[in-house]
Amino acid sequence: MNDEVTEKTEETPVPVPVDEAPRIVPSAAESIPAEEVERITKDLIGVLKTVYDPEIPVDIYELGLIYKVDLDDNRNLTIDMTLTAPGCPVAGEMPGWVENAALTVEGINGVTVNMVYDPPWDQSRMSEEAQVALNWW
């Protein structure tokens, strides 16, 4: 774990001290204190871990489906995510699930979820936890 505090610029993601290095680190607006971005990130990871693809018994965070998170000056999140396959039966529903989960994070005013397919998802994006759960070693 890295407890080092770094000065951030508008382009630099804020390091988040958690037990395990987060798989996402949002780029954040200068106007939001680093401690607040850390809390929002930790809470966001927690709520993303409650969203599951109904066909896979692993949450979308551990599957590596969240590619990018931006937090703007008005505390709006923009989340770029993907699916395990473009033809996923819940493709139309999952962005709403992610949006609803993210809106429960204290201090977030709005959420936009963008579905992206480049780069395509593959098994290398999964966490070790997800690989163990799916026996994909």
Side-chain angles (χ1 to χ4, degrees):
M1 181 168 80
N2 185 351
D3 291 328
E4 189 176 318
V5 176
T6 59
E7 183 177 327
K8 71 178 183 74
T9 64
E10 191 169 327
E11 303 290 318
T12 306
V14 177
V16 180
V18 291
D19 295 339
E20 177 185 316
R23 296 171 57 85
I24 58 170
V25 179
S27 60
E30 288 282 324
S31 64
I32 302 174
E35 302 80 28
E36 182 70 359
V37 174
E38 291 172 9
R39 183 200 56 79
I40 287 170
T41 301
K42 199 171 184 180
D43 292 351
L44 179 62
I45 290 169
V47 299
L48 291 175
K49 289 174 74 64
T50 68
V51 179
Y52 286 79
D53 179 326
E55 297 178 341
I56 303 173
V58 177
D59 66 79
I60 63 167
Y61 177 77
E62 296 298 338
L63 280 172
L65 298 182
I66 304 298
Y67 282 1
K68 181 179 171 189
V69 176
D70 292 320
L71 179 61
D72 71 17
D73 286 326
N74 296 318
R75 296 176 179 261
N76 295 309
L77 285 173
T78 301
I79 300 172
D80 289 353
M81 68 168 293
T82 195
L83 300 169
T84 55
C88 178
V90 295
E93 299 171 56
M94 193 169 297
W97 299 343
V98 172
E99 178 182 352
N100 290 338
L103 282 170
T104 67
V105 174
E106 182 183 343
I108 296 303
N109 293 324
V111 178
T112 300
V113 179
N114 300 316
M115 194 62 67
V116 298
Y117 297 101
D118 188 32
W121 180 87
D122 64 50
Q123 296 174 7
S124 70
R125 296 186 176 277
M126 293 191 306
S127 69
E128 187 174 308
E129 178 182 321
Q131 292 173 10
V132 167
L134 297 172
N135 292 321
W136 287 1
W137 284 98

